[in-house]
Amino acid sequence: MIEVYFDGASAGNPGPSGAGIFIKGNGQPERYSIPLDEMSNHEAEFHAFILALEICLEKQFQTVSFRTDSELVNRSIEKEFVKSKQYKPLLERALLLTQQFHLFFLKWIPSSENKNADELARNAIRQASKKQKDMDH
């Protein structure tokens, strides 16, 4: 089974954000640091999840277990509901993607078990900040 750890991070709320995705169970571990636009931490978590789903579908993984330290994302997917209107389109997109797997699991884990994805998300913020500085000059 493929295990996917994901994390979204934001430097400020909102602020420059990044997604970190760590995939293991298919040979060599795969690491992704993906810079995101300015957004809140919760938005970054949802975007990281959606990107992780898309990567797994592109790679044609069919049995996938996702891990997150975001209680909001975990609860929203479990209940297929989110209170805040701003997260509704993100939740709907994520739910559509989850339906494309043969077996899909999402499990909440403490942040201490999500260090790889967290580090990757922070790297993505640094990439986004550097890119912004380069554009400003």
Side-chain angles (χ1 to χ4, degrees):
M1 177 175 312
I2 305 296
E3 287 183 14
V4 182
Y5 295 77
F6 68 90
D7 199 13
S10 180
N13 213 1
S17 301
I21 300 162
F22 180 75
I23 302 174
K24 67 181 196 178
N26 192 40
Q28 287 293 323
E30 296 177 44
R31 294 170 173 82
Y32 299 86
S33 284
I34 304 166
L36 302 171
D37 295 332
E38 286 214 355
M39 61 184 67
S40 73
N41 194 59
H42 288 317
E43 286 173 293
E45 296 274 11
F46 270 108
H47 281 281
F49 182 42
I50 289 167
L51 288 163
L53 289 164
E54 290 172 344
I55 288 167
C56 289
L57 288 168
E58 273 174 35
K59 294 181 170 289
Q60 300 180 336
F61 297 151
Q62 289 300 309
T63 304
V64 187
S65 181
F66 289 83
R67 310 275 200 272
T68 181
D69 58 19
S70 168
E71 291 184 34
L72 175 68
V73 170
N74 188 56
R75 246 192 339 263
S76 300
I77 294 297
E78 216 171 71
K79 296 183 188 270
E80 298 186 5
F81 174 80
V82 66
K83 272 188 212 162
S84 176
K85 282 187 178 82
Q86 77 185 86
Y87 306 136
K88 277 203 170 97
L90 296 170
L91 174 62
E92 287 167 11
R93 173 95 180 110
L95 288 170
L96 267 176
L97 292 168
T98 64
Q99 292 165 11
Q100 296 179 48
F101 293 94
H102 289 308
L103 271 176
F104 163 83
F105 301 97
L106 178 61
K107 180 182 178 191
W108 179 86
I109 56 172
S111 54
S112 61
E113 292 178 27
N114 207 22
K115 282 188 168 58
N116 283 323
D118 178 64
E119 195 176 298
L120 293 165
R122 292 182 191 290
N123 285 345
I125 291 173
R126 284 192 286 278
Q127 290 171 29
S129 298
K130 184 183 181 316
K131 199 166 156 187
Q132 188 61 47
K133 277 185 193 143
D134 292 348
M135 285 170 37
D136 291 345
H137 287 94

